[in-house]
C-alpha cells in the first residue's frame, strides 16, 4: 500500500515546484504521505524519493530525524502531553500518569482499539496555559485530570471531529501557490539580481549598492 | 593500515602560524589539521578524512586557536589557516577535551576489541591509548543493537561499535554517489543503516570498511581471517582494470587476505572498486592450476611434468615453423601479465619465433596505433578544474570504476563539464552536462555535427559546450559498444581531429595491463615502445623481427577458423568468453591444430586447449604495470606461486631457451624492457603515483577508416548495443565467492517506444535474431536507450549477445519477435 | 472547566499601561488574523508600512532597520539590520528564511504572532525582502503548530489574491514569493543553520560557523538571512511610525518592546509585550497587569530568565531589567523571552532533570560530546532521583558537563555564599549551543541547592507504604512509538 495516490501525487508535484531544489520538498511530501495514511510507510518514502530524485535511504534518514513522522502505524488520535518545565511545574507529569492509567498504555503506546497513541512530549509552546495537551497537534490548554477524561470521552464520542482531524492531517488550510501564481521560484543558479534592486542601483548612479 | 599522511604542498600562499610555540610556514587556506600534520604535529581525529568534505562532528581534533581574540576551541579539520594564527594542540584544555571526547565515544562502545577485526589497527583503540582516559566512569546500560547486520553482500555493520563519524555515509553520498546508507533516527539513538530491503549495493562499498575508524564495518572476505599484527603488506597496483589503483597486498601465512587502497594523487586517491578489492579471492581459489596439463590419447587433459609440457609446446612450435612458417603461430593475450611478462612473450613471439600475429586485445579494443599513438591525456588532465570533456568511451562505472569516482569529483567540485556521446547512457548519468545519443555506426556523424555546430536544437547546448573548449577539448575514447566495429570509433576520432587538430585523448581500454602489453609489442605491426615494425629497427637484445606484418585478434581467429593457424597461444586470454563474436571464437579454437593456454585458472578456452601451462597470478609476481594513461607502477609478489605454476616471463624464457635463444631470461634485469627504460622518473617504484611513460606524447599514424559504410536501418530491426557490466561471468569473478553472486541476469533493454508496438512490457520474453544466431531474453523498457537500439550486456547469466554478433560487420542489426 | 476547548494561543496578553502595542495590537481582535482585520484594527494600518517602504529605495529601508537597532528576538539578540548587511555584495540570489520553529521550553510568542496576526508577519517579510533584495522567502513554521500553519496559509492566500505577495506587488516592480513550509518536530531546527538543513530536506543538524554563516553560505549555499517571526513582525509598525518613535521605547541598547511568555508559578501567567531594558523581572512577576504575584502566596525559589537554555536566577536577581547587556554579565541570558517562575515547592533536582532530559532528547547527535554527554547527564540524574545515586555522582555530573562546556560555566552570583557570577556565554566543545545548554540547569541547581542532590544520594527513598502507584496496563504496541 501507500504510495501517494494520484491526487496527492499531483499535489506533490505542485509542492516540489515551490522550492528552488526538489529535495526541499522532502519534509512537506512526508507530511502529505502521512496525511494520506496516518503514518509514513516504506512505500510512501520510496515514492517520495522517486518524486524528488533521491534514494529511499535519504528520505528515511531525514524523516526518522523528526518526531512527527511516525514510521509505524499510530492511533487515530495522538495524545501529546507536555511534561516540559512549565507544564511539569503545574502537573504535566501527573497528567501523563493519569493519561497512562486512563488509556491503559504507557507513553509511546497505542491502545489496542487503534484509537489513541499517547506521547510524553517536549514543550509545545503553550507554556502559560500549563499543563498543555495536543491531540493531533490541536491544542488543549490547562488540562486537569477531569478535563482529560472529558477530552477522551469527547473524542470517542466523535464530538470533536470538526476540530480534530485524524492523525496525519496537519493544517486544513493549505497555501494555494499554483504554478501560475509563482513569481520568482527557479533553481538558485538561474536567479539574477532582482529588478527592483537593479533599478535602485541604476538610479543611484555609479554607487555599487549592496 | 595507517591513515594517509598529507603530502607536502607547494606554498603558493605562505602564511606564518605558530603551532605549540613553534613558528611554521603553512599554505594559506589549508585546513589547520593538515597544516599541523605537515609541520610534524599530529592532531587526533576520527571523522576527518582528507579525501572528503570535513564535517567537524567527532570533536576529537579540537585545538585552541587564537586569532587575536584569545584562545578558543576550534575543530582543526574545518579551520583554514590564516596569517598569524596561534595554535595550541597540547594545552590542558585541549588534553581535557580529548580525554572527554574519548570517554564519550567509549561510553557506549562495546570494547570487544579481542574479537574485533579492527583490533590492532583501530584508530579508536590507538587514540584511546595515546590521548584517552585510563578508565571509564560510565556505569549505565550501554546501547544495544542487533550485531552485526549485513548491509550488502560483502559488508557487515555492527552499530554498537559505530562512533557515528559519518565517514561511510559521506563516502557513499559524496564520493561514490550511492547514498544507500544513511544516518537514521536522532541524538543518542542515531545509527547508520540502509533503507529496509535496499542494501548498500555500491561498486565501492569496500572503501567504507577501509575508512571506518572502528570495527563497525567489516568485509565478509576478511572477517575473522587474521589479526592486523599477523599481516604483512607490500605496495602494489591493482590490475583488474586499466585505471591501475595503487594498493597494498596484505597476507598472512602465505595467503593474501585483503587489498587496501593507497592514496595516489594521480590515480585513485585511496579508493578501490569492490571487484578489485575482493579480487584476491580468485587467486586463493581451490581451482587454481597447480601443474601443466596435456590432452592425452583419451582426449582428456591430464597433468604432466613441466619438461613434458614445454617439450610438447616446443615441438608443436617447431612443427609449425618447419611447416607453414612463423605466421602459422599466433598469440592472443598478455593484458593480464606484468610489463615484463608481456615483454618476454613479445620477444619470444616476435624475435625467437618470428610471428607478428600477436594481440593483447580481444576484439574489444582499438587498433594499437590509436591506443598508443594519439596525443595523450592523464586522468588528472581529464579531471582538471574547468576542463571540458567529450566522452565517447565505455561506461566508466562498469569498466573503469575509480575513474568514475574521479570524474564525479571533477564534475561536482571542479566545474568539469562532460558531454557524453554514445549509444547508451553510462553510469555518468546526472554528472554529464549534456548527453547526445549516437546510434551504432553514427558516432562520427554525431561528433562531427556537434563540433561543427550543425545539430538539432535539442543538442545545441551540448554543441556549444564542446565548441567553447576549442582545441583544449579533452576526449575520452573507447569501445562503448562491442557489437559495433572499432572503425566507427576511429572515424569519430578522425572527425574530432579534423575539427580540432590539437585535441588530446585518453584512450579508455578496459583490460588490466593492456596498455603495457601493447607497449611491450603484443600488437600486430608494433615493436616494443610503439615502434612500427615497418621501421625495421631491431629492439635492444632482440635477434630478429618478424618478416611480415601479422593480424590482430579478429584476424588471428579468422585465420585459425580458416585452418591457417597451427599453434595458438592464449596468454591469460579467454576468447570463448571475451571475444564479441562467439561463433568465430568457437570455430577458431576448434580449428587451430594446437591451442596452448597459459593461465592461472581453467577458463572456458583453456578447458578446450591442448596444452595448459599453469601461470602465476596477481600478487605472486614482481614487476611493473602500465595503466590507461601510460603510468608505470610496480606490482609486487607477496605470496608464493602455488604448486608448480610459473610466472609468464619464466615460461616464455624456458620456451625461448628450448627454441635455441641464447640469452638468459630469468630475471627482470635481463629484460631491458621498453616500459622501464622509457619512463621519465627514477624508475617505476619512485612513489605512489608511479611514472608516466615518455611515450604519452608520441604520435603514431592512426589507421584511416575511409568512408565507413554503415548499412541503412530498416523498420523491422533494432541495432544491437553490447556493453559491459562490472560483474559478469568472467572466470576471475566466478572464482571470487563474494563477487560471484553480484552478476545480474541478462536482459534486453529497449526504448519504450520500441517496446510498445511489440506489445512487450517489463519481463516479457523476446527473441532477438541476427544473421549469426538468435537468443531469447527478457525485456526491460528503458527510456535511456535510444529509439531503434537494443542494449544487451556482455557475458551475464542467461542469453548471450555474442551469439548475435558477426565481428566483420560494422553494426549488428537484430529482428525482434515476441517469444 | 475549559478542558475541551480547542485553543488558540494568547490567552492572556496584557501590556503595561501606557506602553504602545507594537506587535500585539491585534491579539485581542477576533478578526485580526484576516486581511480585512489587519487593515482595520490594531496600532497601525495593515500594509500601509509596505507602501511607505516601496516608496523608499531598498537601501533606505535597510538603513531604517539598522538605525532602529532592531534586535533579533529569536534568542541571540543580534541586530537584524547588521545581520542583513552581512550578505556579500553582488551575490544573487539572496534568500530570507523566517524562523517560526519556536520550541525553546518556556517560549510562547511566535505561535501567538502567527495565529493572531499572520498578515503582520507577512508584511514584515515583504519589507525585509524588499530591503535585502530577496525574491524568495521561506516561512518555516514549527510542525506541531497546526493552527499557526492554517492561519498563515489563509493569510498568504489572501495576500497573493490581493497582489500583496507575488508578482509586481501593488503595481511596482517588486516581486517576491513567500512559501509556507512546515517543520516536523525537532527542537534543534530552531538553530538557524539546522533550519537551513531542514529546509533543504535534510536532517536538521547544525553546520559549523564559520564557514557556514548563512549570510554568506546559507540556503543552497547562497546568501541567506534567517530572522525570527517576532523580529520581522516589528517591521510594519516601524515602517508606519518611524524609527524615532520606535527608539523612544525601551533603552538605547535595547529599543522597542518584546514579547515575554511568563509561565510557571505565578498567579496570572501570560504573553506580555513589554518595553525592553526598562521592565524588571519584579515588574513581570508582581505587577497586576502581568504575573500578579507568585501563586497563592508562595515564595519565589528560582526563575529561568530566558528559556530552558538559560542559567537560573534567584530571588536576589528580580530587580534586574530585561536588558541583555545587564543580564549577560549577571550569568544568564534573555534568550527567547521565556521566563519560568518556580516557587519553593519545586524540587530542584526534578526540575533540573526535566530540562536536561529535554536537551538529551533533542540532541541532533552530530557532535560526540552533546550526543553522548547529554544522555549520560540524564542517566545520572535519573538514577539519582530514583534513589540509585552513588557517592561522587555530583562530581561526575559536573565533569561530564565540563567536557561538553569546558571551563567555568555561566552562573548567577550567590551573595549568601559570596560567590560571584560567571558571565554568559559558555564555552563549547560542540558546533551549536544545545549540548552546552544542558549544563545550565546542572550548574545552576547544584551550586544553589547542592543539599537537595546529596540528600537524594545519601537518603534513599523508602518505598511509599499504602500509596497507590499507578501501574498502567501495557498494550501490545506500547513502546513502539515515540522516544527511546
Amino acid at each position: 500500500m501507500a504510495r501517494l495516490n494520484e491526487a496527492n501525487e499531483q499535489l506533490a508535484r505542485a509542492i516540489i515546484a515551490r522550492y528552488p531544489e526538489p529535495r526541499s520538498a522532502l519534509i512537506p511530501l512526508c507530511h502529505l504521505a502521512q496525511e494520506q495514511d496516518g503514518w509514513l510507510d516504506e512505500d510512501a518514502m520510496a515514492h517520495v524519493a522517486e518524486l524528488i530524485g533521491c534514494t529511499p535511504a535519504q528520505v528515511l534518514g531525514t524523516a526518522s530525524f523528526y518526531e512527527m513522522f511516525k514510521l509505524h502505524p499510530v492511533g487515530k488520535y495522538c495524545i501529546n502531553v507536555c511534561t516540559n518545565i512549565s507544564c511539569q511545574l503545574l502537573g504535566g507529569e501527573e497528567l501523563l500518569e493519569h493519561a497512562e492509567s486512563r488509556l491503559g498504555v504507557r507513553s509511546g503506546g497505542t491502545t489496542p482499539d487503534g484509537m489513541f497513541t499517547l506521547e510524553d512530549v517536549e514543550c509545545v509552546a503553550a507554556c502559560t496555559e500549563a499543563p498543555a495537551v495536543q491531540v493531533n497537534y490541536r491544542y488543549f490548554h490547562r488540562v486537569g485530570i477531569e478535563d482529560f477524561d472529558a477530552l477522551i470521552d469527547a473524542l470517542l464520542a466523535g464530538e470533536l471531529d470538526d476540530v480534530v482531524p485524524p492523525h496525519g492531517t496537519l493544517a486544513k488550510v493549505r497555501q494555494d501557490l499554483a504554478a501560475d501564481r509563482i513569481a520568482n521560484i527557479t533553481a538558485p543558479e538561474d536567479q539574477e539580481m532582482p529588478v527592483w534592486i537593479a533599478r535602485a542601483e541604476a538610479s543611484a548612479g555609479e554607487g555599487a549598492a549592496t | 593500515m595507517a591513515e594517509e599522511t598529507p603530502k607536502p604542498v607547494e606554498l603558493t600562499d605562505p602564511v606564518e602560524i605558530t603551532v605549540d610555540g613553534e613558528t611554521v610556514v603553512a599554505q594559506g587556506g589549508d585546513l589547520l589539521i593538515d597544516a599541523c600534520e605537515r609541520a610534524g604535529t599530529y592532531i587526533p581525529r576520527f571523522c576527518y578524512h582528507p579525501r572528503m568534505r570535513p564535517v567537524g562532528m567527532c570533536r576529537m581534533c579540537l585545538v585552541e586557536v587564537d586569532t587575536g581574540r584569545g584562545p578558543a576551541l576550534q575543530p582543526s579539520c574545518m579551520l583554514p589557516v590564516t596569517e598569524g594564527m596561534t595554535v595550541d594542540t597540547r594545552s590542558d584544555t585541549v588534553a581535557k577535551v580529548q580525554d572527554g571526547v574519548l570517554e564519550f565515544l567509549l561510553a557506549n562502545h562495546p570494547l570487544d576489541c579481542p574479537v574485533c577485526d579492527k583490533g590492532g589497527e583501530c584508530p579508536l583503540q590507538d587514540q584511546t591509548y595515546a590521548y584517552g582516559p585510563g578508565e571509564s566512569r560510565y556505569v549505565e546500560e550501554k546501547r544495544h543493537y542487533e550485531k552485526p547486520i549485513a548491509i550488502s553482500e560483502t559488508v557487515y555493520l555492527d552499530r554498537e561499535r559505530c562512533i557515528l563519524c559519518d565517514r561511510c555515509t559521506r563516502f557513499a553520498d559524496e564520493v561514490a554517489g550511492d547514498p544507500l546508507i544513511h544516518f537514521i533516527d536522532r541524538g543518542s539513538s542515531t545509527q547508520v543503516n540502509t533503507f529496509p530491503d535496499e542494501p548498500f549495493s555500491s561498486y565501492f562499498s569496500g572503501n567504507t570498511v577501509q575508512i571506518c575508524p572502528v570495527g563497525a564495518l567489516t568485509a565478509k572476505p576478511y572477517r575473522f581471517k587474521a589479526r592486523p599484527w599477523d599481516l604483512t603488506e607490500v605496495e602494489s597496483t591493482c590490475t583488474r582494470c586499466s585505471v591501475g589503483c595503487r594498493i597494498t597486498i596484505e597476507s598472512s601465512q602465505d595467503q593474501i587476505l585483503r587489498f587496501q587502497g593507497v592514496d595516489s594523487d594521480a590515480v585513485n586517491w585511496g579508493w578501490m572498486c569492490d571487484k578489485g578489492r575482493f579480487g584476491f579471492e580468485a587467486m586463493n581459489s581451490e581451482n587454481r592450476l597447480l601443474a601443466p596439463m596435456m590432452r592425452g590419447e583419451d582426449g582428456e587433459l591430464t597433468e604432466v611434468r613441466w619438461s613434458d609440457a614445454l617439450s610438447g609446446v616446443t615441438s608443436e612450435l617447431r612443427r609449425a615453423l618447419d611447416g607453414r612458417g612463423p605466421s602459422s603461430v599466433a598469440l592472443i593475450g598478455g593484458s593480464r601479465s606484468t610489463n615484463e611478462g608481456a615483454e618476454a612473450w613479445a620477444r619470444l613471439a616476435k624475435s625467437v619465433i618470428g610471428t607478428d600475429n600477436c594481440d593483447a586485445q580481444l576484439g574489444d579494443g582499438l587498433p594499437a596505433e590509436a591506443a598508443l599513438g594519439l596525443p595523450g591525456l592523464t586522468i588528472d588532465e581529464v579531471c582538471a578544474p574547468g576542463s571540458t570533456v567529450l566522452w565517447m568511451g565505455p561506461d566508466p562505472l562498469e569498466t573503469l570504476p575509480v575513474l568514475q569516482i574521479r570524474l564525479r569529483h571533477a564534475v561536482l567540485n571542479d566545474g568539469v563539464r562532460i558531454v557524453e556521446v554514445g549509444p547508451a547512457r553510462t553510469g555518468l548519468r546526472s554528472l554529464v552536462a549534456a548527453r547526445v545519443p549516437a546510434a551504432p555506426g553514427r558516432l562520427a556523424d554525431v561528433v562531427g555535427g556537434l563540433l561543427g555546430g550543425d545539430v538539432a536544437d535539442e543538442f545545441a547546448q551540448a554543441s556549444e559546450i564542446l565548441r567553447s573548449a576549442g582545441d583544449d577539448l579533452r576526449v575520452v575514447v573507447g569501445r562503448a559498444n562491442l557489437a559495433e566495429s572499432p572503425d566507427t570509433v576511429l572515424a569519430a576520432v578522425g572527425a574530432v581531429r579534423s575539427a580540432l587538430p590539437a585535441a588530446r585523448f585518453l584512450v579508455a581500454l578496459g583490460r588490466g595491463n593492456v596498455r603495457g602489453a601493447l607497449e611491450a609489442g603484443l600488437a600486430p605491426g608494433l615493436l616494443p615502445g610503439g615502434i612500427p615494425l615497418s621501421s625495421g629497427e631491431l629492439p635492444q637484445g632482440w635477434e630478429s623481427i618478424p618478416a611480415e606484418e601479422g593480424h590482430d585478434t579478429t584476424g588471428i581467429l579468422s585465420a585459425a577458423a580458416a585452418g591457417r593457424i597451427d599453434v595458438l597461444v592464449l596468454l591469460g586470454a579467454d576468447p570463448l568468453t571475451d571475444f564479441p563474436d562467439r561463433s568465430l571464437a568457437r570455430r577458431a579454437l576448434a580449428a587451430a591444430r594446437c591451442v596452448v593456454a597459459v593461465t592461472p585458472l581453467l577458463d572456458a578456452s583453456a578447458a578446450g586447449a591442448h596444452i595448459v601451462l599453469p601461470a602465476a597470478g596477481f600478487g605472486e609476481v614482481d614487476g611493473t604495470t602500465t595503466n590507461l594513461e601510460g603510468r608505470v607502477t610496480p606490482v609486487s609478489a607477496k605470496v608464493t606461486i602455488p604448486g608448480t605454476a610459473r610466472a609468464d616471463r619464466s615460461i616464455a624464457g624456458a620456451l625461448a631457451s628450448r627454441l635455441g635463444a641464447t640469452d638468459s631470461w630469468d630475471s627482470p634485469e635481463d629484460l631491458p624492457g621498453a616500459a622501464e627504460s622509457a619512463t621519465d622518473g627514477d624508475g617505476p617504484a619512485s612513489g605512489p603515483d608511479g611514472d608516466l611513460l615518455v611515450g604519452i606524447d608520441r604520435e603514431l599514424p592512426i589507421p584511416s577508416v575511409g568512408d565507413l559504410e554503415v548499412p541503412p536501418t530498416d523498420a523491422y530491426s533494432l541495432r544491437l548495443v553490447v556493453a559491459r557490466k562490472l560483474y559478469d561471468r568472467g572466470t576471475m569473478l566466478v572464482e571470487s565467492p563474494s563477487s560471484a553472486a553480484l552478476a545480474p541476469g541478462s536482459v534486453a533493454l529497449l526504448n519504450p517506444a520500441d517496446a510498445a508496438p511489440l506489445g512487450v512490457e517489463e519481463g516479457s520474453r523476446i527473441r532477438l535474431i541476427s544473421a549469426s544466431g538468435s537468443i531469447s531474453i527478457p525485456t526491460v523498457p528503458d527510456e535511456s536507450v535510444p529509439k531503434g537500439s537494443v542494449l544487451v550486456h556482455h557475458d551475464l547469466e542467461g542469453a548471450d549477445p555474442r551469439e548475435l554478433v558477426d565481428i566483420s560487420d560494422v553494426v549488428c542489426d537484430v529482428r525482434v519477435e515476441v517469444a | 472547566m475549559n478542558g475541551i476547548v480547542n485553543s488558540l494561543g494568547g490567552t492572556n496578553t496584557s501590556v503595561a499601561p501606557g506602553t504602545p502595542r507594537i506587535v500585539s495590537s491585534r491579539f485581542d481582535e477576533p478578526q485580526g488574523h484576516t486581511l480585512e482585520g489587519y487593515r482595520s484594527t490594531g496600532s497601525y494600518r495593515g500594509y500601509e508600512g509596505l507602501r511607505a517602504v516601496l516608496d523608499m529605495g531598498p537601501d533606505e529601508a535597510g538603513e531604517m532597520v539598522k538605525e532602529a537597532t532592531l534586535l533579533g528576538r529569536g534568542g541571540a539578540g543580534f541586530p537584524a539590520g547588521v545581520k542583513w548587511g552581512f550578505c556579500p555584495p553582488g551575490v544573487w540570489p539572496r534568500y530570507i528564511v523566517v524562523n517560526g520553529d519556536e520550541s525553546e521550553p518556556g517560549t510562547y510568542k511566535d505561535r501567538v504572532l502567527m495565529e493572531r496576526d499572520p498578515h503582520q508577519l507577512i508584511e514584515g517579510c515583504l519589507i525585509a525582502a524588499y530591503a535585502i533584495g530577496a525574491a524568495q522567502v521561506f516561512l518555516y513554521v514549527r510542525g506541531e503548530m497546526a493552527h499557526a500553519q492554517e492561519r498563515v496559509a489563509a493569510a498568504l492566500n489572501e495576500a497573493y489574491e490581493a497582489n500583496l505577495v507575488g508578482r509586481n506587488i501593488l503595481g511596482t516592480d517588486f516581486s517576491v514569493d513567500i512559501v509556507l513550509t512546515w517543520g516536523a518536530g525537532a527542537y534543534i531546527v530552531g538553530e538557524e543553520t539546522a533550519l537551513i538543513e531542514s529546509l533543504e530536506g535534510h536532517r536538521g543538524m547544525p553546520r559549523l560557523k564559520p564557514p557556514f554563516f548563512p549570510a554568506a553560505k546559507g540556503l543552497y549555499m547562497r546568501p541567506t538571512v534567517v530572522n525570527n517571526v517576532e523580529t520581522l513582525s516589528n517591521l510594519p509598525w516601524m515602517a508606519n511610525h518611524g524609527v524615532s518613535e520606535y527608539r523612544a521605547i525601551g533603552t538605547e541598547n535595547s529599543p522597542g518592546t518584546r514579547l515575554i511568555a511568563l509561565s510557571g508559578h505565578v498567579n496570572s501567567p501570560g504573553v506580555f509585550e513589554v518595553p525592553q531594558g526598562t521592565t524588571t523581572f519584579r515588574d513581570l512577576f508582581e505587577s497586576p497587569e502581568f504575573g500578579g504575584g507568585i501563586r497563592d502566596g508562595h515564595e519565589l525559589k528560582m526563575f529561568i530568565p530566558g528559556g530552558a537554555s538559560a542559567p537560573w536566577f534567584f530571588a536576589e536577581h528580580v530587580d534586574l531589567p530585561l536588558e541583555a547587556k545587564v543580564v549577560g554579565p549577571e550569568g544568564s541570558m534573555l534568550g527567547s523571552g521565556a521566563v519560568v517562575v518556580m516557587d519553593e515547592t519545586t524540587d530542584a533536582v526534578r526540575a533540573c532533570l526535566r530540562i536536561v532530559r529535554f536537551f538529551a532528547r533533542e540532541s541532533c547527535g552530530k557532535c560526540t560530546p552533546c550526543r553522548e554527554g547529554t544522555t549520560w547527564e540524564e542517566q545520572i540524574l535519573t538514577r539519582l532521583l530514583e534513589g540509585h545515586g552513588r557517592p561522587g555522582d555530583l562530581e561526575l555530573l559536573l565533569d561530564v558537563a565540563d567536557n561538553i562546556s569546558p571551563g567555568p560555566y555561566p552562573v548567577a552570583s550567590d551573595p549568601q555564599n559570596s560567590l560571584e557570577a560567571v558571565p554568559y556565554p559558555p564555552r563549547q566543545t560542540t558546533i551549536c549551543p544545545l549540548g552546552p545548554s544542558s549544563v545550565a540547569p546542572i550548574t545552576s541547581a547544584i551550586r544553589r541547592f547542592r543539599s537537595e542532590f546529596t540528600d537524594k544520594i545519601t537518603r534513599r527513598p523508602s518505598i511509599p507504604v499504602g500509596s497507590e502507584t499507578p501501574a498502567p496496563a501495557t498494550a501490545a504496541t506500547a513502546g513502539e512509538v515515540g522516544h527511546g
Side-chain angles (χ1 to χ4, degrees), chain C residues 2-198:
Chain C
N2 55 22
I4 312 190
V5 177
N6 173 232
S7 314
L8 285 172
T11 309
N12 172 8
T13 61
S14 314
V15 290
T19 306
R21 283 177 177 257
I22 292 181
V23 295
S24 68
S25 65
R26 289 176 203 85
F27 281 8
D28 300 328
E29 298 289 345
Q31 293 304 309
H33 61 280
T34 63
L35 180 55
E36 176 54 34
Y38 185 56
R39 284 181 152 148
S40 59
T41 63
S43 57
Y44 58 90
R45 295 290 306 280
Y47 290 110
E48 289 307 310
L50 173 65
R51 277 184 206 280
V53 167
L54 291 180
D55 288 339
M56 312 175 185
D59 280 357
E60 209 182 325
E63 213 46 47
M64 168 186 86
V65 176
K66 214 171 195 173
E67 275 173 33
T69 317
L70 173 62
L71 300 184
R73 306 291 204 261
F78 195 81
V82 179
K83 196 172 186 175
W84 294 2
F86 286 155
C87 289
V91 183
W92 309 98
R94 291 173 180 171
Y95 295 110
I96 292 178
V97 173
V98 184
N99 188 344
D101 194 55
E102 179 175 63
S103 321
E104 175 79 15
T107 312
Y108 174 29
K109 61 186 183 67
D110 296 339
R111 180 187 145 208
V112 192
L113 286 167
M114 292 187 284
E115 287 177 354
R116 297 274 175 178
D117 204 345
H119 281 286
Q120 173 171 263
L121 171 60
I122 292 167
E123 190 179 356
C125 291
L126 294 169
I127 293 170
Y130 178 73
I132 293 165
Q136 291 147 63
V137 176
F138 297 93
L139 211 167
Y140 190 106
V141 180
R142 184 174 172 188
E144 290 93 333
M145 295 180 178
H147 280 307
Q149 292 153 19
E150 286 169 348
R151 286 273 166 100
V152 173
L156 279 171
N157 290 345
E158 283 182 303
Y160 263 97
E161 196 62 43
N163 187 224
L164 294 161
V165 186
R167 284 193 205 101
N168 300 109
I169 292 165
L170 298 173
T172 67
D173 59 3
F174 174 50
S175 300
V176 64
D177 287 304
I178 301 180
V179 175
L180 172 62
T181 192
W182 313 334
Y187 162 73
I188 188 56
V189 167
E191 195 279 338
E192 60 180 3
T193 59
L195 180 60
I196 288 169
E197 285 281 326
S198 182

Side-chain angles (χ1 to χ4, degrees), chain A residues 42 55-56 58 61 64-65 67, chain B residues 179 182-186 195-196:
Chain A
E42 288 170 19
T55 65
Q58 289 174 306
S64 64
F65 185 87
E67 323 231 335
Chain B
H182 208 282
F183 281 150
I184 313 283
D185 297 333
R186 190 175 77 199
F195 194 72

Side-chain angles (χ1 to χ4, degrees), chain B residues 109-427:
Chain B
H109 191 78
L111 300 172
D112 55 349
C113 313
V115 295
C116 176
D117 274 345
K118 203 79 173 187
E121 57 175 6
C122 174
L124 181 60
Q125 202 176 36
D126 296 346
Q127 295 189 31
T128 301
Y129 280 120
Y131 306 94
E135 57 188 81
S136 176
R137 298 171 293 179
Y138 190 77
V139 296
E140 325 298 332
E141 176 81 8
K142 291 186 189 242
R143 284 193 291 266
H144 289 298
Y145 290 107
E146 181 194 341
K147 61 185 282 178
I149 53 171
I151 55 171
S152 75
E153 288 282 334
T154 38
V155 179
Y156 283 82
L157 168 64
D158 182 332
R159 290 164 293 175
E160 292 183 349
R161 290 178 186 159
C162 174
I163 60 167
L164 300 169
C165 70
D166 201 19
R167 277 187 173 193
C168 58
T169 36
R170 252 182 303 160
F171 172 84
D173 185 14
E174 72 183 63
V175 180
D178 297 318
L180 299 167
I181 47 174
H182 208 282
F183 281 150
I184 313 283
D185 297 333
R186 190 175 77 199
S188 64
S189 303
T190 308
Q191 49 166 308
V192 172
N193 213 331
T194 63
F195 194 72
D197 302 321
E198 188 159 306
F200 181 38
S201 306
S202 169
Y203 287 167
F204 306 103
S205 69
N207 292 295
T208 62
V209 176
Q210 182 171 341
I211 61 176
C212 180
V214 294
L217 291 163
T218 47
K220 192 156 100 180
Y222 177 72
R223 280 169 63 79
F224 306 124
K225 290 277 168 61
R227 306 319 308 261
W229 51 85
D230 293 329
L231 292 174
T232 53
E233 66 178 49
V234 66
E235 219 172 283
S236 189
T237 307
C238 177
T239 58
R240 287 305 290 276
C241 79
S242 64
V243 172
C245 296
R246 304 289 294 134
I247 63 167
T248 56
I249 304 176
E250 304 184 16
S251 72
S252 170
Q253 298 181 326
D254 208 27
Q255 190 184 14
I256 296 175
L257 293 177
R258 70 176 177 189
F259 296 156
Q260 301 267 61
V262 168
D263 193 328
S264 153
D265 268 338
V267 186
N268 59 316
W269 293 8
W271 311 126
M272 294 183 74
C273 71
D274 287 359
K275 182 177 174 180
R277 183 178 295 272
F278 302 120
F280 66 87
E281 288 181 320
M283 292 298 104
N284 296 338
S285 163
E286 58 186 19
N287 295 324
R288 277 293 295 274
L289 297 174
L290 305 177
M293 294 188 288
M294 290 177 76
R295 203 163 292 280
E297 301 283 313
D298 58 357
E300 298 294 317
L301 282 173
T302 42
E303 288 193 5
V304 296
R305 290 182 306 167
W306 267 101
S307 57
D308 294 340
L310 291 172
S311 298
V313 178
T314 313
S315 66
E316 287 291 346
L317 285 169
R318 284 198 192 288
R319 203 175 133 200
L321 291 172
D322 293 347
R324 289 190 279 193
S327 60
S328 68
V329 178
L331 182 150
I332 297 173
S335 65
R336 210 208 62 240
S337 299
T338 57
N339 288 334
E340 294 72 19
E343 280 157 20
W345 277 93
R347 184 175 174 191
L348 171 67
K350 296 199 170 177
S351 170
V352 179
I353 297 169
T355 179
D356 190 46
N357 287 329
C358 296
D359 195 358
Q361 308 190 72
L362 275 91
D364 55 354
L366 294 172
E369 289 80 1
L372 305 184
L374 283 168
L377 282 170
T378 62
I379 294 172
D380 275 351
E381 286 168 333
V382 170
C383 299
S387 73
T388 302
V389 178
L390 168 60
W391 186 275
M392 41 187 219
D395 188 337
L397 180 63
E398 303 291 349
T399 59
L400 305 161
V402 172
L403 180 57
Q404 162 97 11
I405 282 187
R406 291 289 312 271
L407 291 165
R408 181 179 161 78
H409 181 95
V411 170
L412 297 181
N413 300 281
D414 293 329
V416 168
R417 296 180 302 171
I418 302 176
V419 175
E420 177 186 273
V421 184
R425 193 172 63 175
T426 70

Side-chain angles (χ1 to χ4, degrees), chain C residues 263-338:
Chain C
S263 66
H265 293 151
V266 288
N267 283 318
S268 57
V271 181
F272 310 125
E273 181 168 7
V274 303
Q276 298 201 93
T278 54
T279 313
T280 65
F281 290 106
R282 185 185 298 282
D283 297 337
L284 272 182
F285 301 166
E286 293 177 3
S287 123
E289 289 85 13
F290 301 141
I294 307 302
R295 67 161 181 181
D296 305 335
H298 285 281
E299 279 171 26
L300 177 68
K301 181 170 178 177
M302 63 258 189
F303 66 98
I304 310 177
S309 304
W312 298 356
F313 276 164
F314 305 94
E316 59 270 25
H317 303 105
V318 293
D319 290 316
L320 293 174
L322 294 165
E323 162 73 64
K325 289 208 159 69
V326 175
V327 168
E330 288 293 333
S332 190
M333 62 152 180
L334 288 178
S336 49

Side-chain angles (χ1 to χ4, degrees), chain A residues 19-21 23-24 26-27 31 61-62 65-69 83-84 86 89 93-94 97 104-105 108 110 120 122-123 125-129 134 138-142 147 150 172 174-176 180-184 188 191 194-196 199 210, chain C residues 1-2 4-8 11 89 93 105-106 108 111 130 133-136 142-144 146 150 157 161 167 173 175 177-178 180-181 183-185 198-204 220 263 265 350 354 357-358 361 470 473 475 477 481 483:
Chain A
Y19 295 96
E21 294 185 356
R23 175 83 185 249
S24 283
L26 194 156
I27 290 171
H31 276 304
T62 295
F65 185 87
Y66 298 92
E67 323 231 335
M68 291 173 71
F69 294 129
T83 59
N84 207 307
S86 299
L89 292 172
E93 289 179 343
E94 289 76 9
E97 268 186 27
V105 294
T110 300
D120 158 20
E122 299 300 344
C123 183
C127 313
T128 69
E129 316 304 317
Q134 285 191 324
R138 265 60 190 174
Y139 284 93
F140 295 88
H141 289 164
R142 305 195 187 206
D147 301 329
K172 290 190 285 183
R174 282 183 207 284
Q175 183 178 9
D176 172 18
D180 58 358
R181 257 193 181 176
I182 292 174
N184 281 322
Q191 291 277 322
V195 283
W196 70 95
R199 172 181 45 80
T210 54
Chain C
M1 214 292 275
N2 55 22
I4 312 190
V5 177
N6 173 232
S7 314
L8 285 172
T11 309
Y108 174 29
R111 180 187 145 208
Y130 178 73
Q136 291 147 63
R142 184 174 172 188
E144 290 93 333
E150 286 169 348
N157 290 345
E161 196 62 43
R167 284 193 205 101
D173 59 3
S175 300
D177 287 304
I178 301 180
L180 172 62
T181 192
S198 182
L199 197 47
E200 290 181 1
H202 297 127
R203 302 161 62 80
Y220 316 121
S263 66
H265 293 151
R350 205 173 145 199
R354 188 62 193 81
R357 183 173 162 233
F358 165 74
R361 280 170 67 162
T477 52
V481 179
H483 321 280

Side-chain angles (χ1 to χ4, degrees), chain C residues 330-363:
Chain C
E330 288 293 333
S332 190
M333 62 152 180
L334 288 178
S336 49
V339 181
V340 183
V341 176
M342 295 177 260
D343 69 18
E344 85 287 352
T345 64
T346 311
D347 181 334
V349 183
R350 205 173 145 199
C352 173
L353 167 61
R354 188 62 193 81
I355 297 173
V356 167
R357 183 173 162 233
F358 165 74
F359 289 112
R361 280 170 67 162
E362 296 296 344
S363 169

